[in-house]
Amino acid sequence: MTHTLAQGFARNFLGNAPLWYKQAIIAFLVINPILFALAGPFVAGWALIAQFIFTLAMALKCYPLQPGGLLAIEAVVLGMTSPESVLHEIEQNFPVILLLVFMVAGIYFMKSLLLYVFTKLLVNVRSKVLLSLLFCFVSAVLSAFLDALTVTAVLISVGVGFYDVYHKVFSRGDVPPELAETHKEDLSKFRAFLRSLIMHGVVGTALGGVCTTVGEPQNLLIAETMGWGFIEFIMVMAPVTAPVFICGLITCVLLEVQQKGWFGYGMRIPDKVRSILIEFSEEQDKERTHKETAELIIQGIVAVFLVFALAFHIAEVGIIGLMVIVLLTAFNGVIEEHQIGHAFEEALPFTALLVVFFGVVAVIHDQHLFSPITNAVLSLDVTQQAPMLFVANGILSMISDNVFVATVYIGEVKAAFDAGTISREHFENLAVAINTGTNLPSVATPNGQAAFLFLLTSALAPLIRLSYGRMVIMALPYTLVLGGVGLGSLLLFI
């Protein structure tokens, strides 16, 4: 109970976040101006990056939009960046914002179809190893021809759907005693099962996303800078991406073959949970009306249209997403504003967070925080530049944004080529190092890739207890394999 106005202000600040968290954010806001004045904008800029990563790591304590937004606003006020620079970063990434606003909402209206397909898959494929491999492989293939964020939105919808099915059975109150006794244990195992499946899937988006011009935003930028077409890009990257893809799938299998829980993998779905999902599937099939069947057919037709539209890039991804919303709502009779509004609830908070993140990226750009690393790499011997560029891009992508890192480095390398400092062949080798370096080791942290950050801040993460730290641990074996095999392939074949 608040007794004074001051206590009211204190309680309202960041709401129900723990007191120590509130104190930490206030300390950051107090320290930054002092650092800026005494140590300069360069040191203050790196402190800001560390603080923003802290807010991401504590996403389950407080959504990062508010504390991260306060830090970004302070950075602009202090002059570490400008509103114009922030706007420039937003404009650079506007297609990603469009994608999040409309494509994620479009996927919302396909939930029935996704839950139907994946429930059948989960019920009929009893092998956890095979199921994990399917999630990883299908996500990789889809990400290569569509894009990682769209595929991640599908994975999130599927995960939430599975969890809701199990949760609804126990919320009805007619659970048999033998199921109720082991409910907590089964729920914990089911969460672990879902966590591992979703992580295999989201890592799959990175495995496939690195291979083509459309898999990740920076790929297209690199392809345009180099003058590479769709097929040529695949062929140039293949000496690195093909071994990584194969080793990534092998890693998926090895993580699930063991059942000791290493890195959070290996958990099988409890038999009682499987029986609930089977019962749900059979019940849905029996009770499905002609109207609901018609809705599934419409969703299936629109899903086929979506795949072809994205594969052939008939329009910007976000615009295709808007078309999906119009088609699904029109033909399935969703015509009330409040029904449509629910579809945007998942994506808009993350979109706002991403715009705040672009504010931090603007600080990195304006204060040239990565310049010392860039200069050090380009001053090395020519034979060492590609592997060191891969390592530098990987490390920097883990702590900032892989699209931004790729943009900075491809620009620096192109400037060196235009100045006649490096040959065309070496220019191509460095481009391969930049693309693979920003796409592969960046799976180490949620802030390394937009798809990972989207998953961390989604409605699914708290349901399955997927925190920042847990994501880092679960991504670790993939980070080592993707980073190690990528670097090795670069040294051997490029």
Side-chain angles (χ1 to χ4, degrees), residues 35-191:
L35 267 180
F36 183 79
L38 298 180
F42 187 86
V43 174
W46 276 105
L48 177 69
I49 293 173
Q51 292 161 7
F52 189 75
I53 291 173
F54 170 83
T55 67
L56 296 177
M58 296 291 112
L60 296 183
K61 300 293 183 185
C62 175
Y63 193 71
L65 173 62
Q66 290 76 22
L70 289 172
L71 292 169
I73 291 168
E74 184 181 57
V76 174
V77 171
L78 290 174
M80 295 167 71
T81 187
S82 66
E84 292 76 20
S85 294
V86 176
L87 179 60
H88 175 70
E89 294 297 334
I90 294 169
E91 289 172 341
Q92 289 274 88
N93 292 278
F94 189 65
V96 177
I97 293 172
L98 271 182
L99 183 155
L100 283 168
V101 172
F102 294 122
M103 184 59 77
V104 175
I107 296 300
Y108 175 89
F109 292 109
M110 296 175 66
K111 275 186 175 180
S112 300
L113 177 67
L114 294 171
L115 185 58
Y116 174 79
V117 171
F118 280 92
T119 300
K120 294 295 183 187
L121 190 65
L122 189 63
V123 166
N124 293 313
V125 179
R126 297 189 67 88
S127 168
K128 174 68 186 303
V129 176
L130 180 57
L131 192 62
S132 300
L133 190 60
L134 278 171
F135 264 70
C136 191
F137 179 78
V138 171
S139 297
V141 173
L142 289 176
S143 295
F145 293 97
L146 309 181
D147 68 88
L149 277 170
T150 303
V151 176
T152 305
V154 171
L155 291 170
I156 290 168
S157 293
V158 169
V160 171
F162 283 155
Y163 186 88
D164 282 349
V165 169
Y166 181 72
H167 181 70
K168 281 175 185 174
V169 170
F170 283 88
S171 62
R172 286 201 303 248
D174 56 352
V175 184
E178 64 273 14
L179 287 183
E181 287 176 10
T182 59
H183 168 52
K184 286 187 178 179
E185 184 183 350
D186 286 342
L187 179 58
S188 177
K189 289 179 179 178
F190 187 45
R191 280 172 172 155

Side-chain angles (χ1 to χ4, degrees), residues 132-469:
S132 300
L133 190 60
L134 278 171
F135 264 70
C136 191
F137 179 78
V138 171
S139 297
V141 173
L142 289 176
S143 295
F145 293 97
L146 309 181
D147 68 88
L149 277 170
T150 303
V151 176
T152 305
V154 171
L155 291 170
I156 290 168
S157 293
V158 169
V160 171
F162 283 155
Y163 186 88
D164 282 349
V165 169
Y166 181 72
H167 181 70
K168 281 175 185 174
V169 170
F170 283 88
S171 62
R172 286 201 303 248
D174 56 352
V175 184
E178 64 273 14
L179 287 183
E181 287 176 10
T182 59
H183 168 52
K184 286 187 178 179
E185 184 183 350
D186 286 342
L187 179 58
S188 177
K189 289 179 179 178
F190 187 45
R191 280 172 172 155
F193 172 82
L194 283 180
R195 275 198 305 270
S196 60
L197 272 188
I198 299 299
M199 281 301 293
H200 287 310
V202 80
V203 169
T205 66
L207 284 175
V210 68
C211 297
T212 66
T213 55
V214 298
E216 293 282 351
Q218 69 266 31
N219 299 17
L220 186 57
L221 172 69
I222 292 169
E224 288 175 350
T225 302
M226 303 304 298
W228 290 333
F230 187 84
I231 300 299
E232 188 177 4
F233 184 93
I234 293 174
M235 298 306 293
V236 170
M237 296 295 163
V240 177
T241 56
V244 167
F245 185 82
I246 294 167
C247 292
L249 294 181
I250 292 171
T251 304
C252 173
V253 172
L254 292 177
L255 286 171
E256 289 301 337
V257 168
Q258 60 85 25
Q259 297 184 37
K260 297 181 180 178
W262 292 344
F263 302 103
Y265 296 100
M267 179 61 69
R268 272 48 178 166
I269 185 170
D271 290 335
K272 292 172 185 176
V273 178
R274 180 185 289 278
S275 66
I276 288 171
L277 293 175
I278 291 172
E279 186 181 328
F280 166 79
S281 179
E282 292 172 348
E283 188 179 307
Q284 289 292 102
D285 289 343
K286 287 177 185 175
E287 297 179 359
R288 188 172 292 114
T289 64
H290 291 303
K291 181 179 180 293
E292 290 170 338
T293 303
E295 288 177 1
L296 287 178
I297 292 170
I298 290 295
Q299 289 178 24
I301 293 169
V302 173
V304 173
F305 160 77
L306 173 62
V307 170
F308 277 97
L310 289 170
F312 291 99
H313 305 287
I314 64 171
E316 194 60 63
V317 177
I319 296 172
I320 294 172
L322 181 56
M323 284 192 286
V324 167
I325 293 172
V326 172
L327 291 171
L328 288 175
T329 53
F331 287 97
N332 282 338
V334 183
I335 57 171
E336 295 180 19
E337 184 180 0
H338 74 274
Q339 290 177 300
I340 298 169
H342 289 305
F344 293 90
E345 290 175 358
E346 175 74 19
L348 286 183
F350 178 71
T351 306
L353 174 61
L354 203 61
V355 171
V356 167
F357 183 59
F358 294 148
V360 177
V361 170
V363 172
I364 295 171
H365 188 265
D366 287 356
Q367 300 305 325
H368 308 288
L369 299 185
F370 293 169
S371 291
I373 302 169
T374 307
N375 296 334
V377 170
L378 293 178
S379 66
L380 294 171
D381 184 77
V382 172
T383 56
Q384 297 178 320
Q385 286 183 10
M388 287 308 298
L389 204 56
F390 178 93
V391 173
N393 275 259
I395 293 172
L396 293 174
S397 293
M398 291 177 196
I399 61 174
S400 63
D401 168 51
N402 58 1
V403 178
F404 168 73
V405 173
T407 304
V408 170
Y409 274 88
I410 198 66
E412 296 280 350
V413 171
K414 187 178 186 303
F417 173 71
D418 291 340
T421 308
I422 58 176
S423 65
R424 172 69 192 186
E425 182 184 2
H426 188 53
F427 184 26
E428 292 185 357
N429 291 344
L430 294 182
V432 173
I434 292 168
N435 181 64
T436 53
T438 52
N439 274 297
L440 299 175
S442 56
V443 301
T445 63
N447 43 296
Q449 296 209 6
F452 281 59
L453 187 59
F454 184 31
L455 173 61
L456 175 68
T457 57
S458 70
L460 177 62
L463 296 180
I464 60 174
R465 305 297 187 264
L466 187 61
S467 63
Y468 188 101

